[in-house]
């Protein structure tokens, strides 16, 4: 797949603070890409530079084959952004918010009504489309935020902490919508999130720490490199578990053993068939990867 975003040696400082330090990475067309890091790692600064809201100190930002330095107007029409904090007008209705935004792209009259109906159906906001934003729930407002970003049918959708504080139903709707757009429109999705179960399902991950890349790869590559697998054994006494000579932890009526990889699991099963009569093998979690790479816990991390 071709690169749709190319970041090369990007730098941004605030006085003595290096917010982004010689950052380089690629995002493939159609990819679900995750950008992870604790607050202050440089994620939002990078996104702001990609969106043209913040001027870089040095480096190159190439989006859809265009350099943001001299082609921002072209790039802005190919990007949709769902910001961490809503940019909607709380006093206007969902319809009026979207009409106002659509007019900036020249989408007016019948063209707007057609696009509005498509998005209202896609994101299920028909019933509250004419209510003032101030009277909507957080999840309802988020649907309008997403619709705003999709009005002009962008090639790239940037989601900055899109599901923070949302109810499970709205989170599910958001991800179903994103997956449908990726499948049908080949849309590229650039995600920052604190929820590790979301990061576990992406195509590629970049972990940022203090403005530099601490690790990158597919979720499977990162799990295999930075964390081991786990075997949970049931119906065994501790004496037998200790024979294995591996770190273990008692959990209720079972024991959890840490192993470096699947090959070790196979070796143990063959060598100790009397112990491995009731067990399950689980890959390491993205939470563990993040902690191993940065030494920090990511707030809101969930088990996967």
């Amino acid at each position: 797949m071709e690169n749709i975003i190319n970041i090369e040696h990007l730098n941004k400082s605030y006085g003595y603070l290096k917010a982004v330090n010689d950052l380089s990475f690629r995002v493939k067309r159609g990819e679900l890409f995750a950008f992870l890091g604790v607050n202050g790692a440089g994620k939002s600064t990078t996104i702001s530079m990609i969106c043209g809201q913040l001027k870089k100190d040095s480096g190159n930002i190439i989006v859809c084959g265009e350099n943001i330095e001299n082609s921002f107007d072209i790039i802005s029409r190919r990007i949709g952004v769902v910001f961490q904090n809503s940019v909607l007008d709380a006093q206007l209705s969902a319809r009026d918010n979207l009409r106002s935004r659509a007019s900036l792209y020249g989408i007016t009259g019948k063209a707007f009504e057609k696009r509005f109906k498509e998005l209202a159906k896609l994101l299920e906001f028909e019933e509250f489309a004419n209510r003032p934003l101030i009277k909507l729930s957080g999840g309802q407002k988020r649907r309008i935020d997403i619709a705003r970003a999709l009005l002009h049918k962008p090639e790239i959708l940037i989601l900055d902490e899109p599901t923070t504080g949302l109810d499970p139903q709205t989170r599910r709707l958001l991800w179903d919508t994103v997956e449908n757009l990726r499948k049908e429109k080949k849309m590229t999705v650039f995600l920052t999130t604190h929820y590790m179960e979301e990061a576990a399902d992406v195509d590629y991950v970049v972990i940022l720490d203090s403005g530099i890349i601490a690790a990158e790869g597919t979720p499977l590559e990162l799990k295999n490199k930075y964390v081991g697998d786990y075997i949970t054994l049931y119906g065994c006494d501790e004496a037998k578990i200790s024979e294995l000579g591996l770190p273990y932890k008692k959990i209720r009526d079972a024991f959890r053993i840490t192993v470096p990889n699947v090959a070790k699991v196979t070796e143990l099963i063959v060598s100790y068939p009397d112990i491995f009569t009731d067990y399950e093998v689980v890959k390491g979690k993205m939470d563990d990867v993040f902690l191993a790479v940065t030494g920090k816990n990511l707030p809101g991390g969930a088990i996967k």
Side-chain angles (χ1 to χ4, degrees):
M1 293 185 291
E2 65 175 303
N3 296 326
I4 196 167
I5 298 176
N6 288 285
I7 306 298
E8 300 172 344
H9 304 293
L10 189 62
N11 290 281
K12 181 64 182 180
S13 296
Y14 299 98
Y16 293 106
L17 175 65
K18 271 270 190 185
V20 173
N21 189 357
D22 196 29
L23 193 62
S24 296
F25 64 86
R26 309 284 181 269
V27 180
K28 302 289 187 183
R29 184 178 293 278
E31 193 170 55
L32 176 53
F33 177 96
F35 208 39
L36 305 182
V38 297
N39 290 336
K43 306 187 306 299
S44 293
T45 299
T46 303
I47 287 175
S48 294
M49 288 188 283
I50 293 173
C51 296
Q53 292 186 312
L54 188 64
K55 186 173 177 60
K56 60 185 174 61
D57 292 341
S58 61
N60 287 311
I61 300 172
I62 311 295
V63 180
C64 299
E66 303 284 349
N67 194 313
I68 201 165
E69 198 88 62
N70 45 35
S71 303
F72 176 69
D73 287 345
I74 297 173
I75 292 171
S76 65
R77 290 180 174 273
R78 301 170 84 170
I79 293 178
V81 187
V82 178
F83 295 100
Q84 188 170 351
N85 298 313
S86 179
V87 294
L88 299 169
D89 188 324
Q91 303 305 318
L92 296 180
S93 67
R95 180 185 295 274
D96 287 341
N97 264 285
L98 295 178
R99 180 184 286 113
S100 174
R101 181 65 179 178
S103 67
L104 299 178
Y105 295 102
I107 305 171
T108 59
K110 290 182 180 179
F112 168 72
E113 291 301 328
K114 180 176 183 292
R115 186 59 177 151
F116 179 84
K117 288 177 182 177
E118 291 171 350
L119 292 171
K121 182 178 180 180
L122 182 69
L123 292 161
E124 301 177 9
F125 60 80
E126 299 101 323
E127 66 181 62
F128 53 85
N130 294 311
R131 293 184 208 163
L133 263 290
I134 198 170
K135 294 186 177 180
L136 301 186
S137 69
Q140 290 171 333
K141 290 176 185 176
R142 208 55 170 158
R143 297 184 198 189
I144 311 306
D145 279 319
I146 297 164
R148 174 188 175 279
L150 295 174
L151 273 169
H152 56 301
K153 300 181 181 179
E155 295 177 44
I156 302 169
L157 180 63
I158 296 178
L159 302 172
D160 192 8
E161 305 288 353
T163 59
T164 299
L166 293 187
D167 60 274
Q169 180 184 357
T170 305
R171 287 179 69 189
R172 185 69 267 156
L173 174 64
L174 185 155
W175 285 114
D176 286 346
T177 300
V178 166
E179 282 307 303
N180 287 336
L181 290 169
R182 290 185 63 221
K183 183 189 300 183
E184 296 174 10
K185 308 296 183 183
K186 308 302 180 187
M187 180 180 286
T188 303
V189 179
F190 187 111
L191 167 73
T192 76
T193 183
H194 279 163
Y195 293 107
M196 288 293 97
E197 79 272 22
E198 294 175 349
D201 294 328
V202 305
D203 297 311
Y204 201 80
V205 177
V206 164
I207 298 177
L208 206 60
D209 189 23
S210 301
I212 63 173
I213 294 177
E216 62 179 306
T218 67
L220 180 59
E221 287 170 346
L222 293 175
K223 289 176 184 180
N224 286 339
K225 182 173 182 179
Y226 292 102
V227 297
D229 298 334
Y230 302 95
I231 308 171
T232 303
L233 281 158
Y234 302 94
C236 287
D237 58 53
E238 192 164 355
K240 285 190 173 182
I241 297 297
S242 63
E243 290 178 19
L244 301 176
L246 291 167
Y248 67 87
K249 178 182 179 182
K250 183 170 177 54
I251 49 170
R252 295 190 180 181
D253 59 344
F255 293 91
R256 177 170 292 167
I257 301 167
T258 302
V259 290
N261 49 48
V262 175
K264 185 63 176 179
V265 176
T266 305
E267 178 188 324
L268 290 171
I269 293 171
V270 172
S271 301
Y272 300 91
D274 56 321
I275 297 178
F276 286 83
T277 56
D278 188 5
Y279 65 92
E280 60 181 344
V281 180
V282 178
K283 298 295 294 181
K285 300 172 290 185
M286 284 301 296
D287 306 67
D288 301 321
V289 170
F290 190 88
L291 182 59
V293 169
T294 67
K296 302 165 187 172
N297 282 305
L298 192 58
I303 293 174
K304 181 71 176 182

